[in-house]
Amino acid sequence: MIPISGILIDCARSSSSGSLDVLLAEKYLEANEWGRAVRTIQKALTKSHAEGKAFWILGHAHLKQGQIKLARSAFEKAAGFERYRVRAEYWINTLRRQSEAGGPDWDSDIAEWYTSNNM
């Protein structure tokens, strides 16, 4: 696991813009701390830091936790930002295809696949 710097945590907490929260959430995502990534992105969004990267990270953190509907919602919001449109639409389409092809457990199946393939 990658250690998260206490300095970054302290700076993110005291920042009013939310940009450091986004960076911290990205570090949590890299460290497989998905719950912390979600909570940190939510803090960034309450600081009015709505940007594509925030929703992109949120989508992946939800996906890693098997929260497919929340992941899809976050990716749809990320798609509203030009820089993240293509990447977000890839995941939206992937999730839609899985939903159409899946059965009763498609949510857990794609979450398991995503996690096992270290996406």
Side-chain angles (χ1 to χ4, degrees):
M1 190 179 290
I2 302 166
I4 306 298
S5 168
I7 294 171
L8 179 56
I9 294 169
D10 291 341
C11 289
R13 285 182 185 151
S14 63
S15 171
S16 61
S17 75
S19 60
L20 290 176
D21 292 287
V22 173
L23 178 61
L24 179 59
E26 185 174 33
K27 297 303 175 191
Y28 282 138
L29 192 67
E30 291 170 0
N32 299 329
E33 294 186 36
W34 307 304
R36 285 184 174 178
V38 168
R39 288 188 300 276
T40 304
I41 283 295
Q42 289 169 337
K43 287 178 190 173
L45 294 172
T46 63
K47 295 178 180 180
S48 299
H49 198 76
E51 65 171 40
K53 185 174 186 175
F55 292 114
W56 174 253
I57 292 169
L58 184 60
H60 282 282
H62 281 310
L63 192 56
K64 285 286 196 174
Q65 295 179 96
Q67 300 166 333
I68 304 304
K69 290 176 182 156
L70 292 173
R72 186 181 315 123
S73 176
F75 287 134
E76 287 170 353
K77 290 175 183 171
F81 295 84
E82 185 63 36
R83 185 172 180 190
Y84 288 87
R85 180 168 292 128
V86 172
R87 290 179 273 182
E89 287 177 352
Y90 167 82
W91 279 106
I92 293 165
N93 291 331
T94 298
L95 295 174
R96 188 188 71 247
R97 283 191 304 274
Q98 286 292 325
S99 175
E100 292 167 355
D105 294 328
W106 80 273
D107 278 6
S108 60
D109 290 345
I110 194 163
E112 182 179 324
W113 173 84
Y114 180 86
T115 303
S116 67
N117 285 290
N118 223 5
M119 299 300 285

